[in-house]
Amino acid sequence: MTNRHKKNKAPDIQIGQGVLELLSSAMYINPLTLFREYIQNAVDAIDDAVTNNQLASYRDGRIDITLDQNERRIVIRDNGTGLTNKAFATTMLTIGDSPKRDTTARGFRGIGRLAGLGYAQQVIFRGRSTGDPDVMEILWDGHALKQLLTTNTHTENLETLIQQAVTVTSRPAHEAPPHFFEVELVKPRRITNDILMNEVEIAVYLGQVAPCPFAPAFSHGAEISNLLKAYGHASRTYAIYINDTETPLYRPYRNSLPQSAKLTNTLHTLVPFTIAGLDGDPAAIGWRLHHDYLGAVPAKSGVRGVRARIGNMQVGGERLLADMFAEDRFWAWSIGEIHILDPRIRPNGRRDAFESNTHLDNILHHLRPIGADIARHCRVSSQKRNRLKTFTTAANKIHNTLGILQQGAVSRSFTQTAQTDITNLLADMRKAADFAIFDTQEEQDRLTRQLTEIETEVAREENSYESTPFAHRPTKLRPAYQEMIDLIYSCSTNPATARALVDRILERL
């Protein structure tokens, strides 16, 4: 007897409103992320335009962000390949599927274009491609969509909801560019001091996450660009302008950055590195910058942390790779980037982390020795600063003490104690100067010279301290004067102020 298996017909499959609700309102935590999503699509379109001979080079690509404060509208336009009139509606209304999947394109899930729906009343897409007679337009009514999602009885599927919230139109191209794409956000929400309309905040954000060029004045920019040149998308940068500024957005890296109100941190030594994948091919290429390691790099600099990028667009934030450091605090002392080359390592849907797999584990494994080396530099720098502080503090104390003794107004007991203090301070200076931690022989020699000069001055003055200011005073009163001067110095917290006071007293006497 033959066993027969009956294949049952699959039930009807419904995609409910929750998917659309998730994509249009809950996908991204940071509102500025919507700019990243549209910039990501724009640079992919520019690359396609180069492939299709619509642009001679990706350097001819241009992305313009227009913020109209009066009308409260945001327009992001690129001169990439655009979409043909025929494919426009189908492509723009396909959710969660993209022809860019399994390609080198940066966006591949087909969901990022809906990022604006959670932050604007309407989102309008427009575009055309070379040879098209019309400009196609699709309007998503975010306000209507939210009402539909709130009031419907859950009987309508995703397709039905979209049909009620979307309008597709076309108009003659006339003076429109031959190929372009733009997204317009109408009446964006006023979030956190109206951040979506804040030119400065947008520029700071995109300067970090978008594939912007390095500033011309950044001395390591050309070297980093040459390092990445052989790796296609990793090296490509694009001109992004906000409100027709004369210069495009630049990455935030500079030759120096303010560490505090009084200190400046200099970025001086570039260290490139390559990480091999499990199959031996390069899985990532990166660089880090040694600097003065004066402490944690200030957050407002926009450069702290070893940051991850794919297609020269940042994945996650400054803390994404913090686990490469055995001690958490040192991630904030680091400055660098790692460009992921292995296509098997992909960002998650929100692009705030990577999808976990063995290839990512391999990258993290190779980053930990780099983290350990950065931590070593941090510790060495901290020790060096402490030694220099000890040296400088001791030198200042010796100079102040010599000045006091040169006045000749203190008692012999005070003089002997001061000489003992000078001897101990000189020992501290010798110990600090002999510490094998300084970067250059020149720096070591400078400290040694300073120490020799102070030792010579101490030896010269050692036997010349006499209480001459009181020679014209009665002998029996001199100990009282000396005791008074001793008390002034012993009780004062500011030696320089005390010396000035004693000088005035001696003048009066």
Side-chain angles (χ1 to χ4, degrees), residues 102-352:
D102 298 324
T103 70
T104 58
R106 298 160 185 83
F108 57 88
R109 287 188 170 88
I111 58 177
R113 76 176 75 96
L114 299 182
L117 283 175
Y119 300 104
Q121 290 188 13
Q122 295 179 337
V123 179
I124 305 170
F125 302 100
R126 301 185 189 90
R128 66 183 291 218
S129 193
T130 304
D132 283 333
D134 297 327
V135 170
M136 299 297 295
E137 177 178 292
I138 288 185
L139 183 151
W140 283 76
D141 191 329
H143 182 69
L145 180 61
K146 286 181 174 61
Q147 286 187 321
L148 289 168
L149 291 172
T150 302
T151 60
N152 86 80
T153 58
H154 301 274
T155 58
E156 296 177 336
N157 61 22
L158 183 61
E159 181 178 351
T160 303
L161 285 172
I162 291 175
Q163 287 174 345
Q164 296 178 69
V166 171
T167 304
V168 180
T169 58
S170 64
R171 58 177 173 80
H174 293 314
E175 298 181 359
H179 52 88
F180 79 100
F181 185 86
E182 71 179 28
V183 56
E184 176 182 346
L185 281 73
V186 180
K187 300 292 189 296
R189 290 164 50 195
R190 299 180 186 273
I191 306 170
T192 316
N193 297 322
D194 211 10
I195 192 172
L196 292 175
M197 297 292 291
N198 188 317
E199 180 175 343
V200 174
E201 293 285 352
I202 296 168
V204 168
Y205 174 77
L206 289 179
Q208 296 179 55
V209 306
C212 304
F214 291 109
F218 178 52
S219 59
H220 301 286
E223 188 177 356
I224 295 172
S225 297
N226 288 332
L227 173 71
L228 301 173
K229 193 173 182 179
Y231 300 98
H233 285 65
S235 66
R236 293 181 186 174
T237 60
Y238 303 80
I240 303 173
Y241 296 85
I242 300 180
N243 286 343
D244 291 323
T245 51
E246 292 184 4
T247 57
L249 297 182
Y250 291 123
R251 305 282 295 286
Y253 298 97
R254 299 295 186 266
N255 293 332
S256 62
L257 54 93
Q259 181 70 27
S260 66
K262 296 182 179 180
L263 295 176
T264 298
N265 193 359
T266 302
L267 284 57
H268 48 74
T269 306
L270 183 74
V271 182
F273 60 88
T274 303
I275 295 177
L278 296 176
D279 53 7
D281 292 331
I285 186 167
W287 57 269
R288 54 193 172 103
L289 272 171
H290 286 314
H291 49 95
D292 294 336
Y293 294 105
L294 301 176
V297 177
K300 64 182 179 181
S301 69
V303 301
R304 73 175 181 180
V306 176
R307 305 191 179 206
R309 300 177 81 85
I310 292 182
N312 205 13
M313 292 203 67
Q314 185 170 294
V315 177
E318 56 183 15
R319 279 193 59 96
L320 179 62
L321 299 176
D323 287 346
M324 66 185 279
F325 297 94
E327 295 179 57
D328 183 73
R329 64 190 175 110
F330 286 131
W331 74 265
W333 294 55
S334 64
I335 298 175
E337 290 181 344
I338 178 169
H339 292 256
I340 304 298
L341 307 175
D342 191 335
R344 295 166 295 192
I345 301 175
R346 305 195 307 179
N348 63 15
R350 293 201 304 197
R351 205 179 174 89
D352 58 2

Side-chain angles (χ1 to χ4, degrees), residues 8-82:
N8 296 323
K9 181 181 178 181
D12 292 336
I13 298 173
Q14 295 277 331
I15 300 177
Q17 68 179 49
V19 174
L20 187 57
E21 189 172 17
L22 172 68
L23 297 180
S24 64
S25 63
M27 274 292 293
Y28 304 108
I29 298 172
N30 182 355
L32 292 175
T33 303
L34 66 88
F35 287 97
R36 183 199 67 197
E37 291 301 309
Y38 295 133
I39 295 295
Q40 178 174 271
N41 290 335
V43 297
D44 283 341
I46 289 170
D47 286 349
D48 288 342
V50 176
T51 301
N52 298 337
N53 296 316
Q54 294 166 298
L55 293 174
S57 165
Y58 65 89
R59 294 185 180 87
D60 296 322
R62 179 178 174 118
I63 302 168
D64 284 282
I65 300 174
T66 302
L67 307 173
D68 187 335
Q69 303 289 347
N70 293 327
E71 298 294 329
R72 289 200 62 77
R73 54 193 289 272
I74 303 168
V75 178
I76 305 169
R77 173 184 282 199
D78 66 77
N79 64 343
T81 191

Side-chain angles (χ1 to χ4, degrees), residues 443-471:
E443 191 172 29
Q444 190 90 43
D445 292 344
R446 178 178 60 80
L447 294 181
T448 303
R449 261 192 325 272
Q450 278 185 257
L451 177 59
T452 301
E453 290 170 0
I454 292 176
E455 287 175 328
T456 301
E457 184 180 359
V458 169
R460 184 173 60 247
E461 301 288 343
E462 191 169 17
N463 299 313
S464 63
Y465 311 126
E466 296 180 3
S467 300
T468 54
F470 308 123

Side-chain angles (χ1 to χ4, degrees), residues 297-509:
V297 177
K300 64 182 179 181
S301 69
V303 301
R304 73 175 181 180
V306 176
R307 305 191 179 206
R309 300 177 81 85
I310 292 182
N312 205 13
M313 292 203 67
Q314 185 170 294
V315 177
E318 56 183 15
R319 279 193 59 96
L320 179 62
L321 299 176
D323 287 346
M324 66 185 279
F325 297 94
E327 295 179 57
D328 183 73
R329 64 190 175 110
F330 286 131
W331 74 265
W333 294 55
S334 64
I335 298 175
E337 290 181 344
I338 178 169
H339 292 256
I340 304 298
L341 307 175
D342 191 335
R344 295 166 295 192
I345 301 175
R346 305 195 307 179
N348 63 15
R350 293 201 304 197
R351 205 179 174 89
D352 58 2
F354 292 104
E355 296 177 352
S356 181
N357 59 33
T358 56
H359 303 287
L360 175 63
D361 294 340
N362 173 65
I363 294 287
L364 297 176
H365 172 72
H366 283 87
L367 282 175
R368 289 188 181 106
I370 296 174
D373 185 62
I374 293 173
R376 182 182 66 81
H377 277 83
C378 295
R379 291 193 183 91
V380 167
S381 176
S382 179
Q383 292 171 350
K384 175 182 172 182
R385 286 196 306 279
N386 288 337
R387 296 285 176 166
L388 286 174
K389 183 178 180 180
T390 297
F391 187 97
T392 303
T393 301
N396 290 336
K397 287 182 178 179
I398 289 174
H399 284 303
N400 284 327
T401 304
L402 289 176
I404 292 171
L405 296 180
Q406 286 164 359
Q407 287 176 322
V410 293
S411 67
R412 182 172 297 278
S413 173
F414 188 99
T415 299
Q416 291 173 345
T417 301
Q419 288 175 326
T420 300
D421 290 342
I422 289 175
T423 299
N424 292 333
L425 290 168
L426 284 173
D428 291 340
M429 292 179 69
R430 292 188 193 100
K431 184 178 179 181
D434 291 341
F435 197 62
I437 201 171
F438 298 103
D439 297 331
T440 64
Q441 187 62 43
E442 180 182 356
E443 191 172 29
Q444 190 90 43
D445 292 344
R446 178 178 60 80
L447 294 181
T448 303
R449 261 192 325 272
Q450 278 185 257
L451 177 59
T452 301
E453 290 170 0
I454 292 176
E455 287 175 328
T456 301
E457 184 180 359
V458 169
R460 184 173 60 247
E461 301 288 343
E462 191 169 17
N463 299 313
S464 63
Y465 311 126
E466 296 180 3
S467 300
T468 54
F470 308 123
H472 62 291
R473 292 288 177 178
T475 303
K476 63 180 181 180
L477 294 179
R478 292 175 189 175
Y481 287 133
Q482 290 174 337
E483 184 178 358
M484 176 188 67
I485 301 300
D486 289 355
L487 285 170
I488 290 174
Y489 282 122
S490 298
C491 297
S492 175
T493 57
N494 189 325
T497 302
R499 276 178 61 190
L501 174 60
V502 170
D503 282 337
R504 291 196 296 273
I505 293 172
L506 294 177
E507 287 176 5
R508 297 288 296 272
L509 290 174

